[in-house]
Amino acid sequence: MAPPPLRWSAVAALLFSLLLLPILPSHAIYCDEDDCYDLLGVSQSANASEIKKAYYKLSLKHHPDKNPDPESRKLFVKVANAYEILKDEATREQYDYAIAHPEEVFYNTARYYHAYYGHKTDARAVVVGLLLVLSAFQYLNQWTRYTQAISMVKKTPAYKNRLRALELERSGGMSIKKKGNKQMDKRMEEDLSKELELQIQGAEKPSMWSIVVVQFLLLPYTLGKLLLWRGCWFWRYQIKKDPYAWDDACYLTRTSLKVPLDAWRNVDEVMKSDLVRKRLWEKANMERYLTDMRKETKRRR
């Protein structure tokens, strides 16, 4: 698919202007060979009201509906272009800078095309909008995965047995289901299922605290907390040389073995104690541990 015509015209105009740079002054890209102020008949120190008044006066004189002369129509186009440049404070400031610094050819040309063909939206608004869109997609994705996982779990025998046990507990050991009343059974099942807390690894219930926009807003707090933790760690274990606390020793062991946090939580406490006691965060101990594991693997084969 061909690129948008505006993009091609912008590139073509820029290349054409670069070819004419040795010939034309850098401010000529605004009003061609004319001076924008001269076209409106005002001085460079004229205020916005004077510029507007001069434009209205010339537009009444040279508008195609008022003056059918072809030369007058061409002049009207030039006057309108000059007014578009001078009525905006930003483009007028760029034009004044180009007049005062004609030697900065490439810089003035780049500013001109950025003003006319660059985006007009505030970058902060773009960032906020992008974060909101990403957050919405993230939340919908998490919610979809969660509902699908819950639906699959509810079809398993283990879940049905838990639901049956809860029903018997609520009814005093007697089933309260009535044959032929499927609507009542379904409603009762929904009420009882709400009491069962389902924790499914990899498909947790979505939380507003985990979405991108909230994490972005909490980024300063997160970085501050991380720096504080690193500072306390350095002071306690590098300066004071204190022995590692149990949680910190577990953290070092887990990171040395590259074990995910969820998997580490499922490790037996006896095995955790044995791994921590080996001080695997020290290189020599880790190499010795890996060697022993290889030997054990070969022996079992």
Side-chain angles (χ1 to χ4, degrees):
M1 182 181 291
L6 178 60
R7 183 178 299 176
W8 279 113
S9 62
V11 174
L14 179 59
L15 294 176
F16 180 74
S17 65
L18 292 177
L19 293 175
L20 294 180
L21 287 179
I23 304 174
L24 299 176
S26 60
H27 63 83
I29 58 177
Y30 289 89
C31 293
D32 295 331
E33 70 278 3
D34 300 308
D35 184 279
C36 296
Y37 291 104
D38 290 343
L39 285 172
L40 294 177
V42 296
S43 63
Q44 192 171 350
S45 59
N47 55 36
S49 178
E50 293 173 342
I51 292 175
K52 185 176 182 179
K53 188 179 297 184
Y55 168 70
Y56 283 154
K57 182 178 179 180
L58 291 173
S59 63
L60 290 175
K61 179 180 179 181
H62 299 288
H63 195 279
D65 294 340
K66 302 290 184 181
N67 193 333
D69 186 10
E71 294 299 325
S72 183
R73 179 176 300 180
K74 293 180 181 179
L75 183 58
F76 174 77
V77 173
K78 292 182 178 182
V79 168
N81 179 60
Y83 177 67
E84 288 295 323
I85 292 172
L86 298 182
K87 76 174 184 179
D88 184 74
E89 293 183 3
T91 53
R92 182 181 180 182
E93 180 182 354
Q94 293 177 3
Y95 180 65
D96 291 342
Y97 184 90
I99 294 175
H101 303 84
E103 72 282 356
E104 299 182 13
V105 179
F106 293 101
Y107 177 70
N108 293 327
T109 304
R111 293 183 70 186
Y112 170 80
Y113 284 104
H114 179 269
Y116 273 85
Y117 300 108
H119 63 81
K120 300 294 189 295
T121 308
D122 191 347
R124 292 169 295 184
V126 174
V127 172
V128 172
L130 181 61
L131 289 176
L132 291 175
V133 171
L134 291 177
S135 300
F137 277 110
Q138 179 190 8
Y139 189 85
L140 290 175
N141 178 57
Q142 291 180 353
W143 184 259
T144 302
R145 290 175 55 191
Y146 175 73
T147 53
Q148 290 177 348
I150 292 296
S151 178
M152 293 180 63
V153 168
K154 287 184 176 181
K155 296 177 182 179
T156 60
Y159 173 80
K160 292 180 179 180
N161 291 335
R162 290 178 60 190
L163 198 64
R164 176 67 175 172
L166 184 62
E167 178 190 350
L168 293 175
E169 179 184 348
R170 293 291 181 270
S171 62
M174 298 180 60
S175 177
I176 57 176
K177 290 187 177 181
K178 296 181 179 180
K179 295 182 179 181
N181 198 343
K182 296 183 179 180
Q183 187 68 26
M184 181 180 294
D185 292 346
K186 186 176 181 181
R187 184 167 60 252
M188 185 182 305
E189 181 179 345
E190 291 177 354
D191 293 339
L192 292 174
S193 64
K194 293 178 181 178
E195 300 184 31
L196 295 177
E197 294 184 1
L198 297 178
Q199 299 295 336
I200 304 174
Q201 184 175 353
E204 294 79 9
K205 190 174 183 179
S207 172
M208 295 297 295
W209 295 102
S210 62
I211 62 177
V212 176
V213 65
V214 176
Q215 291 294 317
F216 181 79
L217 294 176
L218 295 177
L219 184 60
Y221 168 77
T222 304
L223 292 177
K225 187 177 180 179
L226 177 61
L227 291 175
L228 179 62
W229 177 80
R230 294 296 298 179
C232 293
W233 183 286
F234 181 79
W235 170 257
R236 182 181 302 174
Y237 301 125
Q238 299 296 326
I239 303 299
K240 297 178 65 177
K241 303 295 183 181
D242 290 344
Y244 289 110
W246 169 255
D247 291 338
D248 295 335
C250 287
Y251 169 77
L252 290 173
T253 304
R254 181 174 62 82
T255 52
S256 300
L257 294 173
K258 298 180 180 179
V259 177
L261 180 58
D262 293 336
W264 177 259
R265 289 172 178 170
N266 296 326
V267 175
D268 183 74
E269 292 298 328
V270 177
M271 183 178 292
K272 284 183 182 179
S273 300
D274 182 62
L275 292 173
V276 171
R277 183 176 54 81
K278 294 179 184 297
R279 300 178 65 86
L280 298 179
W281 54 87
E282 297 179 2
K283 185 177 181 181
N285 296 337
M286 175 58 76
E287 292 177 351
R288 189 181 306 111
Y289 173 76
L290 293 176
T291 302
D292 294 341
M293 291 297 294
R294 295 191 191 100
K295 291 180 180 180
E296 181 66 18
T297 302
K298 289 181 180 179
R299 187 186 64 81
R300 291 180 178 179
R301 290 179 180 176

